[in-house]
Amino acid sequence: MRLPNGDLSTCHPLNNSVTGSASSSSEDDGGSLEETYSPVTLVDNEGLLVPPLNFAMVDYGVFRSGFPDTANFAFLQTLGLRSIIYLCPEAYPEANVEFLNANGIRLFQFAIEGSKEPPMVNIPEETIREALKVVLDEKNHPLLIHCKRGKHRTGSLVGCLRKLQKWCLTSIFDEYQRYAAEKARVSDLRFMELFDISGFKQPPASCSHSKN
Protein backbone atom coordinates (compact mmCIF):
# COMPACT_ATOMS: atom_id res chain seq x y z
CA MET A 1 0.00 0.00 0.00
CA ARG A 2 1.53 3.31 -1.01
CA LEU A 3 1.68 5.68 1.94
CA PRO A 4 1.95 9.45 2.21
CA ASN A 5 5.27 10.66 3.56
CA GLY A 6 5.51 12.50 6.84
CA ASP A 7 4.58 11.99 10.50
CA LEU A 8 1.57 12.54 12.70
CA SER A 9 2.00 16.30 12.42
CA THR A 10 1.65 16.23 8.63
CA CYS A 11 -1.71 17.10 7.13
CA HIS A 12 -2.81 15.66 3.80
CA PRO A 13 -5.24 17.72 1.68
CA LEU A 14 -8.17 15.85 0.17
CA ASN A 15 -10.24 16.15 -2.96
CA ASN A 16 -13.89 16.98 -2.27
CA SER A 17 -15.68 15.24 -5.10
CA VAL A 18 -16.95 11.71 -4.50
CA THR A 19 -19.92 9.85 -5.87
CA GLY A 20 -23.01 10.16 -3.72
CA SER A 21 -21.18 12.11 -1.02
CA ALA A 22 -23.25 14.48 1.08
CA SER A 23 -20.64 17.16 0.48
CA SER A 24 -21.56 19.60 -2.28
CA SER A 25 -18.30 21.52 -2.33
CA SER A 26 -16.47 21.64 -5.68
CA GLU A 27 -13.16 22.98 -4.35
CA ASP A 28 -10.18 20.75 -5.17
CA ASP A 29 -7.42 20.86 -2.58
CA GLY A 30 -5.26 18.33 -4.45
CA GLY A 31 -2.85 15.79 -3.07
CA SER A 32 -5.31 13.00 -2.27
CA LEU A 33 -5.32 9.41 -3.48
CA GLU A 34 -9.09 9.56 -3.73
CA GLU A 35 -10.36 9.53 -7.29
CA THR A 36 -13.51 11.23 -8.51
CA TYR A 37 -16.30 9.05 -9.88
CA SER A 38 -19.33 10.69 -11.46
CA PRO A 39 -22.69 8.92 -10.94
CA VAL A 40 -22.16 7.15 -14.27
CA THR A 41 -18.46 6.70 -14.88
CA LEU A 42 -18.14 4.26 -17.76
CA VAL A 43 -20.06 3.10 -20.77
CA ASP A 44 -19.71 -0.28 -22.44
CA ASN A 45 -21.59 -2.12 -25.16
CA GLU A 46 -24.17 -3.41 -22.71
CA GLY A 47 -25.02 -0.13 -20.98
CA LEU A 48 -23.98 2.16 -18.18
CA LEU A 49 -21.72 1.17 -15.32
CA VAL A 50 -22.88 2.73 -12.05
CA PRO A 51 -20.72 2.82 -8.89
CA PRO A 52 -22.29 2.30 -5.46
CA LEU A 53 -23.30 5.20 -3.22
CA ASN A 54 -20.32 7.11 -1.78
CA PHE A 55 -17.84 5.13 -3.85
CA ALA A 56 -14.22 6.31 -3.79
CA MET A 57 -10.67 5.06 -3.93
CA VAL A 58 -9.04 5.02 -0.47
CA ASP A 59 -5.59 3.88 -1.56
CA TYR A 60 -4.08 1.70 -4.27
CA GLY A 61 -6.14 -1.48 -4.28
CA VAL A 62 -8.53 -0.29 -1.53
CA PHE A 63 -11.98 1.21 -2.18
CA ARG A 64 -14.94 2.31 -0.06
CA SER A 65 -18.67 2.69 -0.67
CA GLY A 66 -22.18 2.27 0.60
CA PHE A 67 -24.03 -1.03 0.16
CA PRO A 68 -23.76 -2.25 -3.47
CA ASP A 69 -26.94 -3.40 -5.17
CA THR A 70 -27.48 -5.29 -8.42
CA ALA A 71 -27.24 -2.08 -10.47
CA ASN A 72 -23.63 -1.73 -9.30
CA PHE A 73 -22.41 -5.25 -10.06
CA ALA A 74 -21.15 -4.49 -13.57
CA PHE A 75 -19.12 -1.56 -12.24
CA LEU A 76 -17.64 -3.66 -9.43
CA GLN A 77 -16.50 -6.23 -11.98
CA THR A 78 -14.24 -3.58 -13.52
CA LEU A 79 -12.31 -3.33 -10.23
CA GLY A 80 -11.20 -6.97 -10.29
CA LEU A 81 -12.01 -7.31 -6.59
CA ARG A 82 -10.55 -10.13 -4.54
CA SER A 83 -12.31 -9.26 -1.29
CA ILE A 84 -15.14 -7.29 0.28
CA ILE A 85 -15.22 -6.13 3.90
CA TYR A 86 -18.83 -5.86 5.09
CA LEU A 87 -19.27 -3.98 8.37
CA CYS A 88 -22.92 -4.77 9.22
CA PRO A 89 -24.42 -7.59 11.31
CA GLU A 90 -27.21 -8.42 8.86
CA ALA A 91 -26.89 -11.40 6.52
CA TYR A 92 -25.50 -10.60 3.07
CA PRO A 93 -28.29 -10.62 0.44
CA GLU A 94 -28.50 -13.73 -1.73
CA ALA A 95 -28.02 -11.75 -4.95
CA ASN A 96 -24.80 -10.27 -3.58
CA VAL A 97 -23.56 -13.67 -2.42
CA GLU A 98 -24.18 -15.07 -5.90
CA PHE A 99 -22.24 -12.15 -7.41
CA LEU A 100 -19.29 -12.83 -5.09
CA ASN A 101 -19.29 -16.53 -5.88
CA ALA A 102 -19.49 -15.92 -9.62
CA ASN A 103 -16.52 -13.54 -9.51
CA GLY A 104 -14.30 -15.33 -7.00
CA ILE A 105 -14.62 -12.57 -4.38
CA ARG A 106 -14.13 -13.41 -0.71
CA LEU A 107 -16.46 -11.87 1.88
CA PHE A 108 -15.13 -10.73 5.27
CA GLN A 109 -18.01 -9.77 7.55
CA PHE A 110 -17.43 -7.79 10.74
CA ALA A 111 -20.69 -7.27 12.61
CA ILE A 112 -20.76 -3.68 13.87
CA GLU A 113 -24.17 -2.50 15.01
CA GLY A 114 -25.43 0.73 13.48
CA SER A 115 -27.10 3.15 15.88
CA LYS A 116 -27.59 6.86 16.32
CA GLU A 117 -26.55 9.37 18.96
CA PRO A 118 -27.73 9.63 21.64
CA PRO A 119 -26.76 7.28 23.20
CA MET A 120 -23.08 7.15 22.37
CA VAL A 121 -22.23 4.51 19.80
CA ASN A 122 -19.91 1.85 21.15
CA ILE A 123 -17.55 0.90 18.31
CA PRO A 124 -15.91 -2.47 19.09
CA GLU A 125 -12.17 -1.78 18.93
CA GLU A 126 -11.18 -5.42 18.54
CA THR A 127 -13.51 -5.76 15.55
CA ILE A 128 -11.94 -2.72 13.90
CA ARG A 129 -8.49 -4.15 14.57
CA GLU A 130 -9.42 -7.45 12.92
CA ALA A 131 -10.88 -5.62 9.91
CA LEU A 132 -7.71 -3.54 9.60
CA LYS A 133 -5.63 -6.71 9.44
CA VAL A 134 -7.66 -7.76 6.40
CA VAL A 135 -7.19 -4.33 4.79
CA LEU A 136 -3.43 -4.41 5.36
CA ASP A 137 -2.98 -7.89 3.85
CA GLU A 138 -2.14 -7.33 0.18
CA LYS A 139 -3.35 -10.84 -0.68
CA ASN A 140 -6.87 -9.47 -0.19
CA HIS A 141 -6.44 -6.63 -2.68
CA PRO A 142 -8.19 -5.20 -4.59
CA LEU A 143 -10.65 -4.79 -1.76
CA LEU A 144 -13.91 -2.91 -1.14
CA ILE A 145 -14.97 -1.70 2.33
CA HIS A 146 -18.66 -0.99 2.81
CA CYS A 147 -21.48 -0.73 5.33
CA LYS A 148 -25.00 0.62 4.66
CA ARG A 149 -24.29 4.16 3.47
CA GLY A 150 -20.51 4.23 3.48
CA LYS A 151 -20.47 6.88 6.20
CA HIS A 152 -20.00 5.95 9.88
CA ARG A 153 -18.71 2.38 10.13
CA THR A 154 -16.77 2.59 6.87
CA GLY A 155 -15.52 6.07 7.78
CA SER A 156 -14.31 4.90 11.18
CA LEU A 157 -12.36 1.98 9.70
CA VAL A 158 -10.81 4.19 7.02
CA GLY A 159 -9.96 6.78 9.68
CA CYS A 160 -8.04 4.18 11.68
CA LEU A 161 -6.21 3.18 8.51
CA ARG A 162 -5.26 6.84 8.01
CA LYS A 163 -3.69 6.88 11.47
CA LEU A 164 -1.48 4.01 10.36
CA GLN A 165 -0.61 6.10 7.30
CA LYS A 166 0.47 8.92 9.64
CA TRP A 167 -2.24 11.37 8.63
CA CYS A 168 -2.88 14.16 11.12
CA LEU A 169 -6.24 14.15 12.93
CA THR A 170 -7.42 17.26 11.06
CA SER A 171 -7.17 15.44 7.73
CA ILE A 172 -8.67 12.23 9.14
CA PHE A 173 -11.68 14.12 10.52
CA ASP A 174 -12.06 16.13 7.32
CA GLU A 175 -12.23 12.96 5.21
CA TYR A 176 -14.73 11.37 7.60
CA GLN A 177 -16.97 14.45 7.53
CA ARG A 178 -16.96 14.63 3.73
CA TYR A 179 -19.02 11.43 3.74
CA ALA A 180 -20.95 11.78 7.01
CA ALA A 181 -21.69 15.50 6.51
CA GLU A 182 -24.36 16.69 8.96
CA LYS A 183 -24.67 13.12 10.30
CA ALA A 184 -21.10 13.07 11.63
CA ARG A 185 -20.89 11.44 15.07
CA VAL A 186 -18.74 12.78 17.86
CA SER A 187 -18.28 9.22 19.14
CA ASP A 188 -16.76 8.15 15.80
CA LEU A 189 -14.30 11.05 15.88
CA ARG A 190 -13.40 10.26 19.48
CA PHE A 191 -12.87 6.59 18.63
CA MET A 192 -10.51 7.43 15.77
CA GLU A 193 -8.61 9.90 17.95
CA LEU A 194 -8.03 7.35 20.71
CA PHE A 195 -7.46 4.31 18.48
CA ASP A 196 -4.11 2.71 19.37
CA ILE A 197 -2.02 1.76 16.32
CA SER A 198 1.06 0.68 18.28
CA GLY A 199 0.36 -3.03 17.76
CA PHE A 200 0.35 -2.79 13.96
CA LYS A 201 3.29 -3.16 11.64
CA GLN A 202 3.98 -0.44 9.08
CA PRO A 203 1.80 -1.12 5.98
CA PRO A 204 3.59 -2.13 2.76
CA ALA A 205 4.82 0.60 0.47
CA SER A 206 2.63 -0.26 -2.50
CA CYS A 207 -0.04 -2.63 -3.71
CA SER A 208 -1.64 -3.56 -6.99
CA HIS A 209 -5.18 -3.18 -8.33
CA SER A 210 -5.07 -6.25 -10.51
CA LYS A 211 -5.29 -9.93 -9.67
CA ASN A 212 -2.24 -12.11 -10.26
Side-chain angles (χ1 to χ4, degrees):
M1 183 178 294
R2 183 177 299 178
L3 300 175
N5 293 324
D7 54 29
L8 289 173
S9 65
T10 304
C11 291
H12 301 271
L14 300 172
N15 292 327
N16 285 327
S17 182
V18 291
T19 299
S21 172
S23 173
S24 60
S25 172
S26 60
E27 180 184 357
D28 185 357
D29 294 321
S32 171
L33 285 171
E34 291 187 1
E35 293 182 354
T36 300
Y37 293 84
S38 59
V40 177
T41 60
L42 301 168
V43 180
D44 63 14
N45 293 331
E46 298 180 356
L48 301 175
L49 303 184
V50 183
L53 176 72
N54 278 332
F55 179 84
M57 178 179 174
V58 176
D59 207 321
Y60 297 96
V62 180
F63 305 92
R64 63 179 290 170
S65 76
F67 205 106
D69 59 29
T70 54
N72 309 131
F73 289 171
F75 174 83
L76 294 182
Q77 284 180 313
T78 68
L79 303 178
L81 295 174
R82 281 196 180 116
S83 310
I84 285 181
I85 291 180
Y86 172 46
L87 299 174
C88 303
E90 295 81 11
Y92 219 48
E94 186 61 33
N96 292 62
V97 172
E98 292 177 359
F99 171 76
L100 299 191
N101 291 338
N103 290 275
I105 301 171
R106 183 177 180 183
L107 178 67
F108 294 89
Q109 182 171 1
F110 297 94
I112 301 175
E113 294 289 342
S115 57
K116 299 179 180 179
E117 295 176 327
M120 297 289 281
V121 178
N122 182 24
I123 302 174
E125 180 173 348
E126 187 57 35
T127 302
I128 292 292
R129 298 181 76 84
E130 291 302 313
L132 266 181
K133 291 176 184 177
V134 175
V135 175
L136 295 174
D137 188 345
E138 287 186 88
K139 295 191 298 292
N140 298 320
H141 297 174
L143 173 149
L144 174 69
I145 304 166
H146 80 81
C147 50
K148 290 289 188 184
R149 298 288 181 180
K151 294 181 179 181
H152 304 111
R153 286 168 280 196
T154 297
S156 296
L157 177 58
V158 170
C160 292
L161 172 65
R162 297 308 193 195
K163 288 194 75 172
L164 277 171
Q165 295 178 309
K166 301 186 183 298
W167 282 33
C168 70
L169 284 175
T170 300
S171 292
I172 293 172
F173 291 171
D174 181 60
E175 180 180 39
Y176 170 88
Q177 289 172 332
R178 288 173 191 270
Y179 297 90
E182 72 278 0
K183 294 186 180 295
R185 296 172 177 167
V186 173
S187 58
D188 289 349
L189 301 177
R190 184 67 172 166
F191 177 83
M192 290 182 282
E193 180 181 5
L194 297 177
F195 185 77
D196 182 13
I197 63 172
S198 60
F200 288 94
K201 295 181 179 179
Q202 184 75 3
S206 62
C207 62
S208 172
H209 280 272
S210 53
K211 295 181 179 178
N212 293 327

